Amino acid sequence: MPLSNADKKRCLAALDILATKTLHFDWGTSWASIHDGNTSQLGGLKPGSREDSTAPKLRWVGLFNSGSNKRLQPPPLVQVSFAAGTVPTTAQVVEALRAAVNAA
């Protein structure tokens, strides 16, 4: 689903903040919050990560809306995948998500 202009602006602003952090990913099979995401600074957005449970076991990172309880509210507004076994850096995640937001 295409992002509204308002959601694109929110996502890009959140990515600017995330670019200054060192994020720690959880590669479980369900979406989990990314550590050091600082939701309170991200305009109601929260980053999450997961890994596919079956081959090719892609690793996914997404930006979600978060509720008053600061939990991920699926589906993600935007998501990107990385090859199995890849541990992306914060810079790689931010770059990939920024490209996905701009393309949405």
Side-chain angles (χ1 to χ4, degrees):
M1 175 167 65
L3 290 177
S4 68
N5 285 338
D7 280 339
K8 280 186 179 186
K9 286 180 183 177
R10 267 191 332 138
C11 288
L12 293 172
L15 290 169
D16 287 344
I17 293 168
L18 290 175
T20 68
K21 308 289 181 192
T22 300
L23 303 177
H24 304 280
F25 306 97
D26 182 348
W27 299 118
T29 56
S30 298
W31 284 109
S33 298
I34 292 175
H35 304 288
D36 294 339
N38 292 340
T39 306
S40 61
Q41 299 175 7
L42 302 179
L45 297 177
K46 189 164 190 77
S49 60
R50 71 173 181 86
E51 181 177 65
D52 289 338
S53 60
T54 58
K57 291 198 169 218
L58 297 176
R59 290 187 164 175
W60 295 86
V61 179
L63 275 180
F64 295 79
N65 281 311
S66 65
S68 58
N69 59 6
K70 295 190 177 184
R71 294 188 184 196
L72 303 178
Q73 293 182 340
L77 294 171
V78 64
Q79 62 182 338
V80 295
S81 65
F82 296 89
T86 301
V87 179
T89 65
T90 298
Q92 290 169 321
V93 166
V94 169
E95 180 182 344
L97 285 171
R98 193 178 308 279
V101 168
N102 287 326

